[in-house]
């Protein structure tokens, strides 16, 4: 290359650097440079924001000139939010001159691969302004890996929400959180992944965080919580007949009996709006905030806004709704994926304030009339043991008699000594008659397994068992005993320690059914009874989970992963009450009468005046006799027979 040529090239480069920069918004950049790939779009070709006008404000809030820091989008599926996020990435790579490290967080490795190969790579290849800067063909180089793109002016990282080390490693300016409802609430014991991400952004005053997701279950949905703290914007369209603005909601979509005709009824005057009016509706739409003063921008979008040809039609949506009428799982899927709303399951729909109002004025560790059987459940944590003692009575009634947390490291003997002392102290009636504990279940899952096994082996209290939650749904609260001790060669020890699996879903079904059934019932008619002296966090912990029909399991509510011991310990106490030597489910009315009369005398009968039993109760015999040990035989005995 000649000197003149070198000089001309240098002047062109210098001129491009000194030329005044045109400040584009994200939507303007996308309209100018973005090409949609057939790998990820049903309409490949130049991006047109006018096709999805509801995305314009969301994208422009991500522009460098916008002072919005946190943007939340609670949405249904397939409305273009992921492509809008890809537009933002292209905008950052091309328009932001100073180095701005960016992170994309997805829930799984599979989605990370899809982001890289179906979203980012085609976007870079299709935009000339990026293709000349970034060579994505060198995918094995250190600067261009599956989880990293090193481009002129910045770095783009990709990671999963399950990697705490990746979420904490570097400072970040821009972050995209895709499908945030799929993130765990606790990552490797280091807390909420969103909290880890936010701490990494603190060094950048012009930081931005985009969180978008389809919601899941009400109360446990992460995006629902983010939306509730936002200014809650909805896209208002203009009725083509009366001119009134309104957000599109499912309740105003109507159809005839065979779903051949579907229309939208104007919320103001009942005008019939047909789907063919949708292009004009979307073009004239406007985002309106419910809480304008809040700093967090929040947007909600349902499939009702899907442009013609880019999503389900109104008729298809109505058909799906009708077909899902007989299935909670399908209704949840429709509510989440089509309406972009969290599903509220009736199974665990118990109000905390209503439950607190049911608390009764009886002291802890005092058995109430009707209690005929007492068991305990123990949950192990790194720094404490949570213990719940429950009294059981006829007709499915139960009383929480104590809930206490014993501080201490389970690796040390002190906390186990305190547990033995607690379980060994009988619960007394109001007249001082002791009712002994008949069984206790201790969770051995986690990294305290060996400590629990050692305690159960050496414990001399009756029916203290080690348990663990079953990975599958059991048809009983307590599974049969299983051998757990093994010799060095791997052979199980015949008379070694055993453990039981707990049918946690079945037990929680029973608990939440009781709590629902007790609503508006007077105290004598309730199944569940709570003392006013229980610690404040007890009832919240009891309601710490909700049922997810789609996944067929109970899941923690938002932020409740750390304090669900009241729920777990109740489940364990319920499970051990079904021990083969106790069998709560097999007790007959005569068994309950014998037990209750032994402890309370005639006090337990409403028509009789309270009286104190004449003598101390004797230990209760099990309803079902314990299994007999296997009969041993030898050659001489066999010969004699």
């Amino acid at each position: 290359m000649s000197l003149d040529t070198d000089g001309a090239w240098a002047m062109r480069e210098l001129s491009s650097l000194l030329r005044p920069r045109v400040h584009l918004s994200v939507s303007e950049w996308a309209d100018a440079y973005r090409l949609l790939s057939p790998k990820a779009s049903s309409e490949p070709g130049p991006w047109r924001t006018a096709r999805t006008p509801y995305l314009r404000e969301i994208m422009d809030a991500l522009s460098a000139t916008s002072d919005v820091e946190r943007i939340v989008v609670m949405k249904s599926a397939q409305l273009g939010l992921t492509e809008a996020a890809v537009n933002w990435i292209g905008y950052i790579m091309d328009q932001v001159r100073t180095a701005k490290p960016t992170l994309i967080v997805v829930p799984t490795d599979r989605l990370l691969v899809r982001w890289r190969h179906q979203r980012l790579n085609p976007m870079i290849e299709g935009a000339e302004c990026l293709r000349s800067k970034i060579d994505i063909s060198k995918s094995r180089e250190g600067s261009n890996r599956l989880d990293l793109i090193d481009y002129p002016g910045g770095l783009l990282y990709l990671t999963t929400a399950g990697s705490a080390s990746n979420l904490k490693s570097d400072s970040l300016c821009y972050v995209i959180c895709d499908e945030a409802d799929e993130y765990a609430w606790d990552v490797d014991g280091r807390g909420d992944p969103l909290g880890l991400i936010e701490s990494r952004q603190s060094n950048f005053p012009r930081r931005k965080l985009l969180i978008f997701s389809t919601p899941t279950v009400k109360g446990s949905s992460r995006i629902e919580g983010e939306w509730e703290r936002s200014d809650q914007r909805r896209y208002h369209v203009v009725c083509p007949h009366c001119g009134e603005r309104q957000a599109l909601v499912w309740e105003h979509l109507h159809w005839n009996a065979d779903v051949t005709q579907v229309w939208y009824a104007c919320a103001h005057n009942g005008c019939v709006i047909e789907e063919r009016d949708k292009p004009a509706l979307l073009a004239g739409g406007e985002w309106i905030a419910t809480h304008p003063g809040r700093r967090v921008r929040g947007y909600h979008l349902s499939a009702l806004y899907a442009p013609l040809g880019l999503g389900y039609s109104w008729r298809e949506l109505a058909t799906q709704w009708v077909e899902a009428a007989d299935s909670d799982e399908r209704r949840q899927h429709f509510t989440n994926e089509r309406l972009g709303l969290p599903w509220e399951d009736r199974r665990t729909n118990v109000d905390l304030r209503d439950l607190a109002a049911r608390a009764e004025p009886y002291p802890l560790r005092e058995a109430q009339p009707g209690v005929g059987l007492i068991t305990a459940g123990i949950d192990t944590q790194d720094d404490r043991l949570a213990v719940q003692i429950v009294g059981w009575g006829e007709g499915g009634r139960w009383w929480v008699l104590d809930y206490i947390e014993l501080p201490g490291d389970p690796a040390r003997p002190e906390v186990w000594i305190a547990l033995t002392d607690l379980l060994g102290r009988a619960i007394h009636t109001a007249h001082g008659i002791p009712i002994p504990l008949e069984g206790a279940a201790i969770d051995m899952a986690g990294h305290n397994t060996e400590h629990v096994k050692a305690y159960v082996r050496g414990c001399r209290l009756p029916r203290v068992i080690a348990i663990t939650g079953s990975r599958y749904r059991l048809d009983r609260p307590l599974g049969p005993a299983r051998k757990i001790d093994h010799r060095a060669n791997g052979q199980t020890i015949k008379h070694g320690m055993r453990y039981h699996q707990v049918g946690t879903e079945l037990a929680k079904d029973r608990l939440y059914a009781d709590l629902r059934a007790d609503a508006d019932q007077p105290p004598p008619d309730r199944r569940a009874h709570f003392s006013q002296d229980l610690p404040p966090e007890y009832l919240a912990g009891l309601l710490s989970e909700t049922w997810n029909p789609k996944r067929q399991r109970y899941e923690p509510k938002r932020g409740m992963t750390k304090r669900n011991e009241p729920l777990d310990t109740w489940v364990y106490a319920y499970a051990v009450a079904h021990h083969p030597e106790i069998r709560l489910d097999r007790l007959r009315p005569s068994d309950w009468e014998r037990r209750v009369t032994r402890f309370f005398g005639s006090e337990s009968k409403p028509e009789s005046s309270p009286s104190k039993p004449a003598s101390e109760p004797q230990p209760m015999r099990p309803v079902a006799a314990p299994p007999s040990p296997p009969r041993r035989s030898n050659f001489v005995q066999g010969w004699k027979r």
Side-chain angles (χ1 to χ4, degrees), residues 240-251:
H241 305 290
C242 67
E244 295 286 350
R245 285 195 176 274
Q246 58 202 286
L248 299 181
V249 295
W250 180 249
E251 290 73 19

Side-chain angles (χ1 to χ4, degrees), residues 87-133:
N87 290 341
W88 185 32
I89 295 296
Y91 169 88
I92 293 170
M93 290 178 168
D94 182 51
Q95 295 289 302
V96 180
R97 287 292 180 88
T98 56
K100 301 289 185 182
T102 304
L103 175 67
I104 299 172
V105 185
V106 295
T108 64
D109 290 324
R110 183 178 180 182
L111 191 55
L112 187 149
V113 173
R114 288 173 55 189
W115 250 93
R116 180 61 198 267
H117 293 296
Q118 295 184 17
R119 307 287 186 185
L120 293 176
N121 286 358
M123 182 270 292
I124 294 171
E125 290 175 343
E128 174 61 31
C129 58
L130 299 178
R131 187 168 61 247
S132 60
K133 299 178 182 179

Side-chain angles (χ1 to χ4, degrees), residues 459-470:
C459 186
R460 296 295 176 262
L461 296 172
R463 291 174 285 277
V464 175
I465 62 173
I467 54 95
T468 184
S470 173

Side-chain angles (χ1 to χ4, degrees), residues 340-375:
L341 295 173
W343 168 260
E344 185 171 6
D345 186 72
R346 294 184 295 271
R347 187 178 308 199
T348 54
N349 187 18
V350 180
D351 183 72
L352 177 59
R353 288 172 295 184
D354 174 65
L355 191 62
R358 303 180 203 171
E360 302 171 25
Y362 66 83
L364 292 175
R365 300 195 66 83
E366 181 181 293
Q368 299 303 294
V371 172
L373 166 66
I374 296 178
T375 60

